Amino acid sequence: MSLDHGKKWQTDMPLRQSMQRINDAVLQAVPAYHNDSMTPAEAGKLSSEINTQIAYMIANCKLEPAADATLHVFIGELLAGAARMKDEPASPQGLPHIVRTLDQYTEYFDHPGL
């Protein structure tokens, strides 16, 4: 992963929209995870939402090639976390991994408000 000559990559509306929706859904799920009360159905619903938003992002986001390559690392991490969470809602490689990925995304991409 790389920055844009030491600066964060610019984002477009589809990317910001999708990442915001993922972030919002994740924030809603965090309390249940921390209370050990996240159900398989809730984990499955969140995993599905992440996959839906990533599919939208891939279909509509238009970034320069270097930014796109960096973004694809984050996409892979989000998909891996979503799959793990769906299989095992309490796994630290699930929701906590997704939260860390979202935090790291903001270190590489200019996304005001996230």
Side-chain angles (χ1 to χ4, degrees):
M1 292 189 302
S2 65
L3 290 168
D4 183 11
H5 300 95
K7 295 185 286 183
K8 294 180 181 184
W9 294 106
Q10 294 299 307
T11 56
D12 64 5
M13 183 54 97
L15 173 57
R16 289 189 301 273
Q17 178 182 318
S18 293
M19 292 301 278
Q20 188 65 55
R21 288 181 177 168
I22 291 170
N23 188 68
D24 292 348
V26 165
L27 287 176
Q28 289 181 351
V30 166
Y33 178 85
H34 286 300
N35 292 329
D36 294 323
S37 62
M38 180 180 278
T39 67
E42 291 169 331
K45 182 178 176 184
L46 179 55
S47 178
S48 178
E49 176 64 13
I50 291 169
N51 281 287
T52 296
Q53 292 305 320
I54 289 174
Y56 176 83
M57 185 188 317
I58 290 170
N60 295 285
C61 180
K62 305 294 183 224
L63 300 177
E64 62 179 273
D68 192 55
T70 299
L71 178 61
H72 277 266
V73 173
F74 290 102
I75 288 171
E77 293 299 319
L78 290 170
L79 291 172
R84 183 59 184 240
M85 179 182 58
K86 183 178 178 184
D87 291 340
E88 187 181 342
S91 171
Q93 287 81 37
L95 190 60
H97 181 78
I98 293 166
V99 169
R100 284 189 302 275
T101 300
L102 290 168
D103 287 342
Q104 193 175 29
Y105 160 80
T106 63
E107 295 173 18
Y108 286 84
F109 288 89
D110 184 19
H111 188 133
L114 188 68

